[in-house]
Amino acid sequence: MVLTYNEAIHLERCMASVIDLAHEIVVVDCGSTDDTSKIARRFGASVFHNPWVNYSTQFKFAVSKVNSNCKWIMRLDADEYLTEELKVSVSDFLINTSDGISGVFFRRRMAFMGRKIIYGGVFPAEMLRLFRAGRGSIECRWMDEHIKVEGKTVVLNGELIDDNLNSLTWWIDKHNKYASREAIDMLNLQFGFMEYDSVASMSGDSQASLKRWVKEKVYSRMPMGFRAFAYFFYRYVIRLGVLDGKEGAMFHFLQGFWYRYLVDCKVYEVKKCMREQSVGIKAAIKNVLNIEL
């Protein structure tokens, strides 16, 4: 199951990595103007079109289009692909799995400007990407949504590679949009204007649950601006991101500091709008971020 928008540069690589595993490929597109749909159909995928609201709504739409006889669903981004080791692990798991397992975590490794990131604590990021049909759902959030399952989970050997081939200008524009969406989630923690849905937990059930707990209970309560610098220092110095070379320095600074500081700036701007224009939180988000809730 792949959600797409102008992913012609990535989609063939993604599809080729799963074509031998999947009985069915569902692609949900939100208005691509390139050859995304053409490439998907060349691999035998069923292509559906649905206007973009946020990832959660698109995910739910995609699940609704999966064949009712399907037992397991794998969710991928178009710029991701499975290594040979992970493909073997998935195949073996699906043959030998028990009814007690509901979800499977993949170890995701990110690449930036063609360089795989090794340090900074960003690998392995364990992402739940394979789940038993009917037992998986998505967090109702605007950014960084995680899949939730009822039942036990396992982690497979091998790597899921996240390697976006677009330019740095594209990356910055994308993360500017991400920052607006994450600002909404940060504001919701304080103002509670939307349904609150989170996998956050200290129990250690999964890496994602613990990270989300730290983000919501610790990071979000730190002073704005300072928390972005503190996170960058943790990644680049304490977790040795400095050893990732030139491309790694760019990645850790932009994704570990610039992006998170930008989120803080947008949160500040929305609050300032509320004070100066005497409007509610939703109106301020519309005025500042141009997002209708």
Side-chain angles (χ1 to χ4, degrees):
M1 190 174 73
V2 186
L3 310 185
T4 60
Y5 176 70
N6 286 341
E7 294 288 358
I9 193 174
H10 299 119
L11 195 57
E12 184 168 350
R13 184 184 64 183
C14 175
M15 294 288 190
S17 77
V18 297
I19 190 65
D20 294 333
L21 295 172
H23 292 165
E24 174 190 19
I25 300 177
V26 171
V27 170
V28 176
D29 189 75
C30 58
S32 292
T33 56
D34 62 5
D35 289 336
T36 293
S37 296
K38 181 179 178 181
I39 294 170
R41 291 191 177 97
R42 194 169 77 232
F43 280 87
S46 301
V47 180
F48 302 93
H49 300 277
N50 195 52
W52 179 266
V53 176
N54 58 35
Y55 196 97
S56 295
T57 58
Q58 205 74 344
F59 176 94
K60 292 173 184 176
F61 178 85
V63 169
S64 74
K65 298 302 180 181
V66 173
N67 190 299
S68 60
N69 294 324
C70 174
K71 294 182 179 179
W72 288 90
I73 300 174
M74 181 190 299
R75 197 282 285 181
L76 292 178
D77 290 337
D79 58 0
E80 297 174 335
Y81 63 93
L82 281 66
T83 60
E84 289 300 320
E85 183 182 9
L86 180 55
K87 288 167 64 174
V88 171
S89 296
V90 171
S91 180
D92 291 345
F93 169 80
L94 292 175
I95 293 172
N96 300 306
T97 187
S98 67
D99 290 339
I101 304 298
S102 297
V104 178
F105 285 89
F106 295 170
R107 292 185 172 100
R108 186 188 67 181
R109 183 186 296 278
M110 301 189 73
F112 188 77
M113 291 190 175
R115 182 182 184 121
K116 291 181 180 178
I117 303 301
I118 298 174
Y119 301 99
V122 296
F123 178 83
E126 295 177 356
M127 317 294 291
L128 200 154
R129 292 304 184 85
L130 180 65
F131 58 96
R132 195 180 292 274
R135 297 190 192 174
S137 60
I138 192 80
E139 289 180 296
C140 184
R141 299 173 59 89
W142 279 80
M143 185 62 199
D144 195 26
E145 307 88 343
H146 289 295
I147 299 171
K148 304 179 295 181
V149 294
E150 301 173 4
K152 296 181 180 180
T153 61
V154 296
V155 182
L156 295 187
N157 293 326
E159 297 180 5
L160 176 70
I161 307 298
D162 182 337
D163 183 12
N164 194 287
L165 303 175
N166 285 300
S167 68
L168 180 60
T169 298
W170 179 94
W171 189 96
I172 290 173
D173 180 62
K174 177 183 178 182
H175 280 73
N176 179 40
K177 294 183 175 95
Y178 279 177
S180 294
R181 290 156 54 185
E182 184 149 346
I184 292 174
D185 285 333
M186 294 291 285
L187 287 162
N188 191 44
L189 288 175
Q190 180 177 350
F191 293 96
F193 50 89
M194 298 187 306
E195 176 186 354
Y196 179 76
D197 187 14
S198 176
V199 299
S201 172
M202 278 193 68
S203 65
D205 292 340
S206 71
Q207 183 191 74
S209 296
L210 182 58
K211 284 185 175 180
R212 178 59 56 74
W213 185 90
V214 171
K215 187 174 183 178
E216 293 183 355
K217 304 301 182 182
V218 180
Y219 180 86
S220 67
R221 298 176 182 179
M222 296 171 69
M224 289 196 302
F226 170 78
R227 59 193 178 193
F229 174 78
Y231 178 65
F232 168 72
F233 184 84
Y234 167 77
R235 266 175 57 165
Y236 198 64
V237 178
I238 297 176
R239 296 302 300 270
L240 302 179
V242 66
L243 298 180
D244 277 318
K246 291 181 180 179
E247 294 86 356
M250 297 175 195
F251 174 74
H252 291 301
F253 177 80
L254 290 172
Q255 205 264 351
F257 175 73
W258 172 80
Y259 167 70
R260 283 164 176 77
Y261 188 62
L262 183 60
V263 172
D264 282 354
C265 292
K266 292 187 180 229
V267 168
Y268 175 83
E269 188 179 20
V270 170
K271 290 182 177 180
K272 183 178 180 182
C273 176
M274 292 175 67
R275 293 193 305 269
E276 294 183 350
Q277 299 183 21
S278 299
V279 296
I281 181 65
K282 291 186 177 181
I285 288 172
K286 172 63 176 175
N287 293 345
V288 173
L289 303 178
N290 197 30
I291 294 176
E292 189 82 53
L293 297 176

